[in-house]
Amino acid sequence: MNTPTKYPSQQNTGDDIDLRPFFGVIKRKRKFISTLSIVFSSISVIYALTVDPIYKGGFEIVVEDKNQKKGSNDSQLTQIMNSSLNKQDSDLKTQEFILKSPSVLMPVFKYVKETNKIREGKSSLELDYKTWLNKTLDISFTEDTKILSIVYKDKNKDHIVDVLNLISNKYK
């Protein structure tokens, strides 16, 4: 005959998970776990203190269609045809491509290159236009709108305003 145990919660019914072995391993390896935590925490703090912060600045431009006049009396059929041909999307992509083109941004790139040379005291000849454009500028339309968002990233936060003003003036 089975005698009931004094503590029914300690009976193994098969549905319970016994965590005592897990805690036993943690207790035995506490020195290793503590050392590992201290090492990785120290590495993280040193990295955070030595890395240069990167600042962002940006502005938005509302792109208007110069071909479409305000108060235009286009028929509904023309408006439907234009929207069905995605003319607006191609015009917006064209505007985005124009702003990213070297013909608009090359003076800005030269300004950034020259100010980096003066500021850092080293030649920035290894910096090319495409790399600069991809790493520091984010130019894209906000989804389903005519708003062009321009974001510039740099280590020198005072430099960001100058570059954004120059981009704005070149795009006008």
Side-chain angles (χ1 to χ4, degrees), residues 43-62:
I43 291 171
S44 299
V45 167
I46 290 169
Y47 176 74
L49 293 174
T50 58
V51 71
D52 290 332
I54 296 178
Y55 301 98
K56 283 184 180 182
F59 64 94
E60 295 175 340
I61 299 173
V62 178

Side-chain angles (χ1 to χ4, degrees), residues 58-156:
F59 64 94
E60 295 175 340
I61 299 173
V62 178
V63 178
E64 295 181 20
D65 188 6
K66 292 181 180 178
N67 296 331
Q68 185 178 356
K69 299 174 186 171
K70 291 185 178 181
S72 173
N73 293 329
D74 289 341
S75 68
Q76 287 183 337
L77 180 61
T78 306
Q79 291 175 355
I80 292 171
M81 287 175 52
N82 284 343
S83 64
S84 68
L85 294 174
N86 291 330
K87 183 177 183 279
Q88 181 180 4
D89 285 344
S90 69
D91 288 345
L92 295 179
K93 289 292 182 190
T94 303
Q95 289 289 335
E96 184 178 338
F97 183 77
I98 288 171
L99 183 56
K100 288 182 178 181
S101 72
S103 61
V104 174
L105 290 178
M106 189 55 78
V108 178
F109 172 67
K110 288 179 181 178
Y111 170 77
V112 169
K113 201 170 179 179
E114 190 61 33
T115 54
N116 283 346
K117 183 177 178 181
I118 293 169
R119 184 179 65 200
E120 297 174 8
K122 62 180 181 179
S123 176
S124 54
L125 294 174
E126 64 275 357
L127 184 66
D128 66 304
Y129 177 79
K130 284 290 185 187
T131 304
W132 171 78
L133 182 68
N134 293 332
K135 284 188 175 183
T136 61
L137 275 172
D138 181 24
I139 302 171
S140 61
F141 275 95
T142 306
E143 193 171 328
D144 297 330
T145 66
K146 291 183 176 184
I147 298 174
L148 185 64
S149 175
I150 300 166
V151 177
Y152 179 70
K153 298 174 268 188
D154 197 344
K155 293 178 183 178
N156 184 356

Side-chain angles (χ1 to χ4, degrees), residues 5 7-18 20:
T5 60
Y7 302 104
S9 64
Q10 291 182 352
Q11 289 178 342
N12 189 2
T13 61
D15 293 341
D16 297 333
I17 297 174
D18 190 13
R20 283 180 281 167

